[in-house]
Amino acid sequence: ISTGLKNETFSFSENDFNYAIADGNYTDVCSLDENTLKKVTYRVTLSSFETQLKEASSIVRCHRSYMVNLKKVKNISGNAQGLKLELINQSEIIPVSRKYIPIVKQFFL
């Protein structure tokens, strides 16, 4: 993934990625690094991050501010107004907005 800074790039394994949160022009990427959960901030918009991840089938946008690895989901709750995703070994609950519910549900069919 290339960032907004000169020649700065980063990479990660799809299996290690948990979720990403947008914060303006920055994205916090939460992933496993040697079995430890780490959150690292990069200067890249979530839209740019999403565009560069086209080949990752299980990593999808689920909210205006979130992307999630659907392989890491252990529980789904909510209703037609929005879903909540509970991840394996993770305390943070990831929201799914109405717009992205069909994409998330399609993965689990």
Side-chain angles (χ1 to χ4, degrees):
I1 306 292
S2 61
T3 67
L5 301 174
K6 288 186 210 170
N7 301 325
E8 183 186 52
T9 62
F10 66 96
S11 63
F12 54 84
S13 163
E14 182 176 349
N15 291 332
D16 291 340
F17 178 85
N18 280 9
Y19 66 94
I21 305 174
D23 185 12
N25 288 331
Y26 295 88
T27 299
D28 292 335
V29 176
C30 206
S31 60
L32 287 176
D33 184 18
E34 299 174 8
N35 292 327
T36 305
L37 197 62
K38 295 202 173 167
K39 188 184 277 189
V40 181
T41 303
Y42 296 102
R43 184 172 167 76
V44 60
T45 63
L46 198 62
S47 295
S48 174
F49 185 74
E50 179 183 24
T51 303
Q52 295 180 59
L53 280 178
K54 286 295 182 200
E55 72 280 350
S57 61
S58 67
I59 300 175
V60 297
R61 186 96 175 236
C62 62
H63 187 273
R64 183 180 67 165
S65 301
Y66 287 86
M67 287 188 73
V68 67
N69 186 346
L70 294 175
K71 290 180 181 175
K72 302 285 185 169
V73 173
K74 76 173 178 183
N75 189 29
I76 300 173
S77 60
N79 54 31
Q81 297 301 310
L83 299 176
K84 305 271 187 237
L85 303 178
E86 191 177 336
L87 303 182
I88 299 167
N89 299 325
Q90 189 74 44
S91 60
E92 184 154 351
I93 302 296
I94 309 298
V96 179
S97 60
R98 286 181 295 185
K99 176 180 176 181
Y100 296 104
I101 288 175
I103 296 166
V104 172
K105 283 188 172 179
Q106 181 181 1
F107 182 83
F108 293 103
L109 292 179

